[in-house]
Amino acid sequence: MLLRKLIVATSLILSANAAYAGCGATAGRVNIVGNEFPAIHTVVNAAKACADDNVSVSANLTADHQKINLAGLQGNPAEYTSAIIANSSIVALINEDVIRPLDDLVAKYGQNIPKSNLITVDGKIMAVAFMANAQHLVYRKDVLAEVGVEPPETYEELLAAAELIREKGIMQNPVGGAFASGWNLATEFVNMYLGTGGEFYKPGTAEVTINNPQGVAALEMMKALSEYMNPDFLTHDSNATGAEVEAGNVALMNMWGSRVGVLMDEDGAEEVVYSNVAVGGPMTVAGGSVPATTLWWDGWTVAKNISDEDAEATFLALMTGTSPDILNDETMAQAVWMIDGYEPAPVNEGVFAAIQAQAKPYPMLPYMGLLHTALGDNLSDYLQGKESAEEALADIEATYTTAAKEKGFLN
């Protein structure tokens, strides 16, 4: 009950209203770009119910959405009429002025959407959130039982468990993680750095400050984890890591709550695997009390460089796609939905635990995207043993500083 109250208070439930009962669009083009996992497919499939002879609805859901959404919104007219985004990815779209404020559309159609679900930047509504997410422990309970350890609560305990699993010959590379070079790898650093208690910027400025003992500690833990991962870990995103779990090769990992449902169903894995996948809360690191993870929301936007007719159709289609009608026995477990009628499922206990542990939200700062890119572009060399942690952090700070000066965030 406590967790239920927490998620209601923090996830800010969408109220059901008449506009959700049907699409209401009479004409227009809808084309959605977003990530590819079950919850997003559910939203898009429901939005496609708006399609008729006068309204077209299509989508491109791909793990590469971060690489294409900005370019797809920059045309005039934009290729995509909406991007499904999260805390971090909305920043680049706002910086490049490719998504439109939603105040007029909310006033016309979304009066009953709670204000707290409306993502407001500089006083303007820029997105509507529909689900919460976080990364947390996912583990094989049978494997941990075999080596006689409890689910780890710290990354240090995870490493100790991984060593036991390897020593007993159960798995050679028992740790998984979305360490793919680029966005995924940068996200893992952000998680770990927050867990060490580090601050990304000097207070009140855009001046980066990660080349410090906390930054070194974060990188050293990431390196230690990688030594128990598949040798190709720098190519493994969430999809590839999930496949490793289903293949029976991974017993411990930090994974998105929105990805866990598919690991617990019978598709793609033997029963010994899917029946033993379990979730735990986010882990801490280096004796810290702040979880080494970030709280996220996922939401939808409307492109700026499209006609008002297309914008209205897109708004209505995505309201339909995130209405209470999408909730059923199958979809309840796909996400921590910020939708009226959502009933928490055991598969989502890891996200609830992150909320309860007061995990920090991913920083939604106008210059955080530049740092995220710099991290993703410069961490691989350290993890491959080509440079020291201090050298990698210095490279990241230099890359970020150059970009921040070009964008006018630094003099």
Side-chain angles (χ1 to χ4, degrees):
M1 181 59 69
L2 172 61
L3 290 178
R4 175 60 177 161
K5 289 180 179 178
L6 280 166
I7 197 64
V8 169
T10 23
S11 293
L12 318 166
I13 302 298
L14 285 172
S15 295
N17 58 72
Y20 282 72
C23 184
T26 57
R29 175 181 67 94
V30 180
N31 191 10
I32 304 162
V33 61
N35 204 350
E36 183 185 19
F37 56 87
I40 304 299
H41 278 286
T42 293
V43 169
V44 169
N45 288 339
K48 287 181 177 179
C50 290
D52 59 24
D53 292 342
N54 298 312
V55 178
S56 66
V57 183
S58 57
N60 181 13
L61 302 185
T62 169
D64 293 327
H65 66 112
Q66 298 278 10
K67 300 176 182 178
I68 64 175
N69 60 9
L70 177 57
L73 293 171
Q74 286 177 321
N76 195 5
E79 176 183 1
Y80 300 111
T81 66
S82 174
I84 293 178
I85 44 73
N87 309 43
S88 66
S89 50
I90 193 175
V91 173
L93 305 185
I94 292 173
N95 287 348
E96 297 298 326
D97 194 27
V98 294
I99 55 176
R100 67 172 59 197
L102 302 177
D103 301 75
D104 57 338
L105 291 168
V106 169
K108 188 173 183 179
Y109 297 109
Q111 302 95 328
N112 293 328
I113 299 175
K115 290 182 179 179
S116 47
N117 268 86
L118 304 175
I119 305 304
T120 302
V121 180
D122 293 333
K124 298 178 181 178
I125 301 167
M126 302 305 297
V128 177
F130 62 86
M131 61 178 278
N133 207 357
Q135 289 168 280
H136 54 78
L137 174 67
V138 178
Y139 62 96
R140 282 275 299 276
K141 56 188 178 184
D142 58 330
V143 174
L144 293 192
E146 188 172 348
V147 297
V149 299
E150 295 296 317
E153 296 181 356
T154 71
Y155 271 103
E156 289 78 11
E157 291 174 355
L158 184 147
L159 289 174
E163 179 61 24
L164 286 173
I165 293 168
R166 179 177 284 179
E167 283 181 355
K168 289 183 176 292
I170 300 171
M171 295 175 180
Q172 179 60 25
N173 300 303
V175 176
F179 269 47
S181 296
W183 190 90
N184 289 276
L185 189 59
T187 300
E188 295 302 327
F189 177 85
V190 170
N191 290 338
M192 204 68 73
Y193 186 67
L194 285 173
T196 67
E199 296 289 341
F200 292 102
Y201 307 98
K202 289 185 178 180
T205 77
E207 185 177 348
V208 68
T209 174
I210 60 171
N211 193 357
N212 54 37
Q214 291 86 3
V216 172
L219 284 186
E220 288 178 346
M221 177 53 74
M222 291 173 68
K223 176 71 170 177
L225 292 169
S226 72
E227 291 170 358
Y228 290 94
M229 292 179 175
N230 184 299
D232 294 328
F233 65 91
L234 287 173
T235 69
H236 284 196
D237 59 8
S238 296
N239 290 330
T241 304
E244 282 284 278
V245 175
E246 292 190 322
N249 298 329
V250 164
L252 295 158
M253 64 177 175
N254 186 50
M255 179 53 75
W256 294 100
S258 57
R259 298 278 182 166
V260 178
V262 296
L263 303 180
M264 290 182 167
D265 65 32
E266 60 187 26
D267 294 333
E270 295 183 3
E271 183 177 1
V272 67
V273 175
Y274 69 75
S275 65
N276 281 294
V277 172
V279 301
M283 293 167 285
T284 57
V285 65
S289 59
V290 176
T293 191
T294 42
L295 280 177
W296 294 69
W297 52 262
D298 284 70
W300 47 267
T301 61
V302 177
K304 181 176 182 179
N305 297 332
I306 58 175
S307 68
D308 290 343
E309 180 179 78
D310 290 350
E312 188 166 301
T314 299
F315 187 90
L316 290 168
L318 282 162
M319 283 184 66
T320 300
T322 51
S323 74
D325 290 341
I326 71 171
L327 299 179
N328 55 45
D329 290 344
E330 178 183 356
T331 62
M332 281 286 190
Q334 290 177 344
V336 178
W337 296 104
M338 296 158 64
I339 298 173
D340 188 41
Y342 168 68
E343 294 292 338
V347 69
N348 295 321
E349 289 176 357
V351 178
F352 286 148
I355 294 168
Q356 188 179 37
Q358 299 183 348
K360 293 185 177 181
Y362 183 94
M364 201 172 72
L365 297 167
Y367 35 83
M368 189 65 192
L370 301 178
L371 178 56
H372 201 103
T373 298
L375 287 164
D377 291 345
N378 290 280
L379 288 174
S380 298
D381 282 349
Y382 166 72
L383 293 176
Q384 292 175 313
K386 297 178 181 179
E387 61 182 6
S388 69
E390 291 83 359
E391 289 170 335
L393 292 168
D395 289 345
I396 292 162
E397 288 195 344
T399 301
Y400 164 81
T401 299
T402 298
K405 287 181 177 178
E406 290 177 353
K407 294 291 186 181
F409 295 123
L410 291 173
N411 296 321

